Amino acid sequence: MTQIKAPAERAASLTATSAVSTINDVARLAGVSIKTVSRVMNNEPNVREETRAKVKEAAGLLHYRPNLLARSLAGSRSFLLCLLYHNPVPTYINNMHQGVINRCRQSGYHLLAEPQDLQGGDLERSIAGLLATVRLDGVILTPPLCDMAVVMQTVEAAGVPYVRVSPFLYPGRTATVRMDETRAAREATQYLLNKGHRDIGFIMGHPEHGGTHLRYQGYVSAMRDAGIEPRAEWIKQGYFNFESGVEAGKAYFAAEKRPTAIFSSNDDMAFGLMSVAQQLGIRIPDDISIIGFDDTPGCTLIWPHLTTIRQPILDMAYAAADILLSRTSGEEDGPAMNDIVRELPFTLIERDSVRAL
Amino acid sequence: MTQIKAPAERAASLTATSAVSTINDVARLAGVSIKTVSRVMNNEPNVREETRAKVKEAAGLLHYRPNLLARSLAGSRSFLLCLLYHNPVPTYINNMHQGVINRCRQSGYHLLAEPQDLQGGDLERSIAGLLATVRLDGVILTPPLCDMAVVMQTVEAAGVPYVRVSPFLYPGRTATVRMDETRAAREATQYLLNKGHRDIGFIMGHPEHGGTHLRYQGYVSAMRDAGIEPRAEWIKQGYFNFESGVEAGKAYFAAEKRPTAIFSSNDDMAFGLMSVAQQLGIRIPDDISIIGFDDTPGCTLIWPHLTTIRQPILDMAYAAADILLSRTSGEEDGPAMNDIVRELPFTLIERDSVRAL
DNA sequence: GCCAAATCTGACAACGCTGTCAAATAAATT
DNA sequence: AATTTATTTGACAGCGTTGTCAGATTTGGC
């Protein structure tokens, strides 16, 4: 009873200095045990309404915010999500990032961004280390990590729920957020076919990215549906970056007969391709039509504006975060993790880089 | 003595399953106290070399990784840095992000990315909440947050060391990483002057960004040095985004007499400007010369390639992280936080958007 | 070979919270 | 009114580490 005044005094100073107060301070001020404060802060049931109000008021007065680290150590949740990535396309990660963080905000979560080095070789060590070091409530895997067995194994071994964005291999292994890349690629190809193109080139993406194969399949199937067998000289290997687009362009334009249209597996390579065309005086779309994939900001910067497939990256990020967050927010009765597949729609964005033949 | 075998057995299974082991496991396996393990893991002195080796071996065998959360709770370090930002230019944040993370990696640190909503109004609540929720070893403030008194006060009240990147107001308030924006802007302007331009427009950046004023000063001083008093109709207000560049462009090109060159406070606005020019059939650089600021990837995508000032963002990120990390890595004898100013060099990147008159 | 000083090591109490479980209180039943 | 049952509450033991401090061991000086 004697020390009851202490926290009140401290409260006064706190409002001024905004120093941190602990659960103990709140408990004393409200005249309850710390466990009760804990219950209120976590919206647990079985607290009398009157008590709850009392605690809330005390907490408000003291500007109390539960310490994340302590919660995590004592309890079963860490309030931490992690985006594990290795991606050559900055805009992609950017959007993923932002989308996930947006959702985290709403749930009092925070995001750890962890780019991974693929070259270094010790991916497993790196990820296992991370997972041992900080307890995570969920991990989001983007391509190409989402298709790597080591990565999945490591995350699974740590018992951390995870979702894969646009995976290619091992379907049904865990929750998935995707876009129908094959169909998108097919529609892009069909768009070209509808415009009267027959000789259609295709620049493949990085071979380690699942999307690469999916998009390739889409291209091939659309071509075959149109009764055209894709020729080897139409298909170039790229790596999802500007430079590989340049290389592909050089190869195409050095050949005697070039395609009338080229479908690039992503925008950055299309930009590289366009840059070579520019240099060689090959006009787009007059001399050659080009279509990309991603709808990065550069599409409207480059001239002519690039026709492309828009990937709903932000929405995919939202979906991925939501899956993980709904897991941790109590409701245990959701569908099994590996049953979740969320497929988001793509859009073909018509701009100026394709002409009808 | 009887339970000594347990950890060894567990070790065997651990190598297989990669489950987490605690400091206790290591201590038992090495036959020392947990405190000694702690000392070894933290590279503290006063451990016999032999003991140290023994512990290290045990830790290696068990794949032991100290739990970050527990360390943070018990000790004085959290191994967490935070990038607080609100930025209209994604590439900027992207680079900051990546630079900081790179450095964090080397020191076993992790990065929390925390974009802030400026509209919502409750910036203080948001940041204070974050700081109360998770103990941070350091915060990095980018423009415009780095110039906001509330933000600094809040961080200071929490006693968290922080560094400001490219601040404008309150010099010397804390460690700073910067670039001489005024000089950069002056050189950009002088570059235009040297090419024979006299009527030089200037698109200002977002008024809440300190760099805006610095760059403006550089422009004005270069003009005056050349004996030219900048005219009001040459100067347009922008907001660092594409759209405001478009607006500025419309304004310039609607006027009877337009400048022969325009210096845009950043690339994105320059892109907007170029896009309007394109639409109006105004040729760059024949009819108008344009220079940007930032050197974003779009510069080599757009046609003609944009001459611009390169900001060493990645290096600034490194510097910022280094300042914070050197603080926490024991050495207390560094210079006072508010004495640190690291200034990095800019570069004028000459491309094709400016012509000599 | 003995004592002081330097060097190493370990017990134990935090850190701020949650989980478990038992005690206290209120409500419902007889 | 006496039980039984449901609802609220709190004590206490962790969670996995580091800090403090005292005890044990080694080293150096004579």
Side-chain angles (χ1 to χ4, degrees):
Chain A
M1 274 298 151
T2 49
Q3 67 266 55
I4 275 207
K5 210 157 198 171
E9 285 168 11
R10 194 169 161 198
S13 82
L14 280 172
T15 47
T17 67
S18 98
V20 280
S21 50
T22 74
I23 197 171
N24 263 294
D25 302 329
V26 180
R28 282 205 292 262
L29 182 57
V32 299
S33 75
I34 57 168
K35 181 64 223 193
T36 298
V37 177
S38 170
R39 287 199 182 90
V40 173
M41 297 312 294
N42 290 291
N43 278 314
E44 284 173 27
N46 296 333
V47 179
R48 215 191 321 158
E49 217 35 66
E50 188 193 327
T51 313
R52 195 180 291 273
K54 208 165 51 179
V55 170
K56 278 189 170 161
E57 197 199 327
L61 240 45
L62 295 170
H63 295 298
Y64 170 66
R65 307 293 306 256
N67 181 316
L68 210 79
L69 281 38
R71 287 225 272 193
S72 167
L73 193 57
S76 49
R77 296 196 288 169
S78 72
F79 301 91
L80 245 33
L81 252 40
C82 173
L83 181 64
L84 228 47
Y85 64 94
H86 168 90
N87 203 295
V89 185
T91 28
Y92 184 92
I93 288 309
N94 233 11
N95 281 315
M96 279 305 299
H97 224 110
Q98 198 188 329
V100 176
I101 289 185
N102 282 355
R103 282 297 199 263
C104 282
R105 273 299 157 73
Q106 297 165 3
S107 315
Y109 267 69
H110 297 272
L111 207 228
L112 241 40
E114 297 284 331
Q116 292 299 315
D117 198 1
L118 253 47
Q119 335 281 39
D122 234 349
L123 197 55
E124 178 177 4
R125 247 181 69 85
S126 164
I127 298 179
L130 172 68
L131 264 29
T133 297
V134 348
R135 175 185 300 146
L136 296 170
D137 284 352
V139 168
I140 297 174
L141 256 35
T142 60
L145 296 175
C146 63
D147 286 319
M148 303 178 76
V150 226
V151 176
M152 286 185 271
Q153 270 161 23
T154 309
V155 177
E156 284 161 11
V160 178
Y162 69 107
V163 3
R164 300 193 289 156
V165 176
S166 300
F168 171 56
L169 272 13
Y170 314 101
R173 183 150 172 177
T174 187
T176 283
V177 174
R178 60 189 302 276
M179 203 195 76
D180 192 337
E181 308 212 34
T182 307
R183 199 154 72 82
R186 183 158 44 222
E187 288 195 11
T189 311
Q190 277 163 354
Y191 175 80
L192 259 16
L193 288 162
N194 290 342
K195 294 274 182 188
H197 295 277
R198 285 294 168 271
D199 296 359
I200 301 176
F202 181 79
I203 309 182
M204 298 187 68
H206 197 295
E208 291 196 356
H209 283 242
T212 294
H213 310 287
L214 265 11
R215 293 173 200 179
Y216 177 65
Q217 281 167 25
Y219 159 75
V220 170
S221 81
M223 292 296 274
R224 292 205 177 127
D225 285 357
I228 304 166
E229 184 59 29
R231 291 205 234 124
E233 65 266 32
W234 288 345
I235 294 155
K236 307 286 177 204
Q237 180 67 59
Y239 297 91
F240 279 148
N241 55 13
F242 187 90
E243 290 71 28
S244 62
V246 169
E247 290 310 313
K250 285 180 182 163
Y252 280 123
F253 302 140
E256 300 165 37
K257 186 163 174 292
R258 75 171 86 105
T260 63
I262 297 177
F263 173 16
S264 167
S265 290
N266 88 340
D267 290 343
D268 282 4
M269 295 191 298
F271 298 152
L273 181 63
M274 289 168 81
S275 139
V276 185
Q278 202 79 261
Q279 278 165 32
L280 298 177
I282 297 170
R283 289 162 309 162
I284 303 164
D286 310 81
D287 300 330
I288 192 155
S289 291
I290 296 181
I291 190 166
F293 201 110
D294 274 353
D295 195 28
T296 55
C299 289
T300 51
L301 245 40
I302 203 155
W303 202 259
H305 292 350
L306 183 66
T307 293
T308 192
I309 297 281
R310 195 186 89 87
Q311 283 211 69
I313 304 176
L314 210 57
D315 292 330
M316 285 162 69
Y318 285 156
D322 284 343
I323 291 170
L324 257 14
L325 292 173
S326 74
R327 273 296 98 175
T328 60
S329 306
E331 299 128 58
E332 282 297 330
D333 48 351
M337 211 58 177
N338 54 359
D339 281 349
I340 304 177
V341 176
R342 204 139 304 164
E343 185 167 300
L344 269 22
F346 59 88
T347 327
L348 195 154
I349 311 269
E350 234 177 315
R351 287 197 269 249
D352 317 311
S353 59
V354 174
R355 77 159 185 139
L357 233 45
Chain B
M1 274 298 150
T2 48
Q3 68 264 57
I4 276 209
K5 210 158 198 172
E9 284 168 11
R10 194 168 161 199
S13 82
L14 280 172
T15 47
T17 66
S18 98
V20 280
S21 49
T22 75
I23 197 171
N24 264 293
D25 302 329
V26 180
R28 283 204 292 262
L29 182 57
V32 299
S33 75
I34 56 169
K35 181 65 223 191
T36 298
V37 177
S38 171
R39 287 199 182 88
V40 173
M41 297 312 294
N42 289 290
N43 278 315
E44 284 173 28
N46 297 333
V47 179
R48 215 191 320 158
E49 216 35 66
E50 188 193 327
T51 313
R52 195 179 292 272
K54 207 166 51 179
V55 170
K56 278 189 171 162
E57 197 199 326
L61 240 46
L62 295 169
H63 295 296
Y64 170 67
R65 306 293 307 256
N67 181 315
L68 210 79
L69 280 38
R71 287 226 274 192
S72 167
L73 192 57
S76 49
R77 297 195 288 168
S78 72
F79 300 92
L80 246 32
L81 251 39
C82 173
L83 181 63
L84 228 47
Y85 65 93
H86 168 90
N87 204 294
V89 185
T91 27
Y92 184 92
I93 288 310
N94 233 9
N95 281 315
M96 279 304 300
H97 224 111
Q98 198 188 327
V100 176
I101 289 185
N102 282 355
R103 282 298 199 263
C104 282
R105 273 298 157 73
Q106 296 166 4
S107 314
Y109 268 69
H110 297 272
L111 208 227
L112 241 40
E114 297 284 332
Q116 293 299 315
D117 198 1
L118 253 48
Q119 337 280 38
D122 235 348
L123 197 55
E124 178 177 3
R125 247 181 70 85
S126 164
I127 298 179
L130 171 68
L131 264 28
T133 298
V134 352
R135 175 184 300 146
L136 296 170
D137 283 352
V139 168
I140 296 174
L141 256 35
T142 60
L145 295 176
C146 64
D147 286 320
M148 304 178 76
V150 226
V151 176
M152 286 185 270
Q153 270 161 22
T154 309
V155 177
E156 284 161 10
V160 178
Y162 68 107
V163 2
R164 300 193 289 155
V165 176
S166 300
F168 171 55
L169 273 12
Y170 314 101
R173 183 150 172 177
T174 187
T176 283
V177 175
R178 60 190 302 276
M179 202 196 77
D180 192 337
E181 307 212 34
T182 307
R183 199 154 73 80
R186 184 159 41 222
E187 289 195 12
T189 311
Q190 277 163 356
Y191 174 80
L192 259 16
L193 289 162
N194 290 342
K195 294 274 180 189
H197 294 277
R198 286 294 168 269
D199 296 359
I200 301 177
F202 181 79
I203 308 182
M204 298 187 69
H206 196 295
E208 291 196 357
H209 283 241
T212 294
H213 310 287
L214 265 10
R215 293 172 200 180
Y216 177 65
Q217 281 167 26
Y219 159 74
V220 170
S221 81
M223 293 296 274
R224 293 205 177 128
D225 284 357
I228 304 166
E229 184 58 31
R231 291 204 235 125
E233 65 266 31
W234 288 346
I235 294 155
K236 306 286 177 205
Q237 179 67 60
Y239 297 90
F240 279 148
N241 55 14
F242 187 89
E243 290 72 27
S244 62
V246 169
E247 290 310 312
K250 285 181 184 162
Y252 280 123
F253 302 141
E256 300 165 35
K257 187 165 173 291
R258 74 170 88 104
T260 63
I262 296 176
F263 174 16
S264 167
S265 290
N266 87 339
D267 290 344
D268 282 4
M269 296 192 297
F271 298 152
L273 182 63
M274 289 169 82
S275 139
V276 185
Q278 201 79 260
Q279 278 165 32
L280 298 177
I282 297 170
R283 289 162 308 161
I284 303 163
D286 310 81
D287 301 329
I288 193 155
S289 291
I290 295 180
I291 189 166
F293 201 110
D294 275 353
D295 195 28
T296 55
C299 288
T300 51
L301 244 40
I302 203 155
W303 202 260
H305 292 351
L306 183 66
T307 292
T308 193
I309 297 280
R310 195 186 88 86
Q311 282 211 69
I313 303 176
L314 210 58
D315 292 331
M316 285 162 70
Y318 285 157
D322 284 343
I323 291 170
L324 256 16
L325 291 173
S326 73
R327 273 295 98 174
T328 59
S329 307
E331 300 129 58
E332 281 298 329
D333 49 350
M337 210 58 177
N338 53 359
D339 281 350
I340 305 176
V341 176
R342 204 139 303 164
E343 185 168 301
L344 270 21
F346 59 88
T347 328
L348 196 153
I349 312 269
E350 235 178 314
R351 286 197 270 249
D352 317 311
S353 61
V354 174
R355 77 158 185 138
L357 234 43

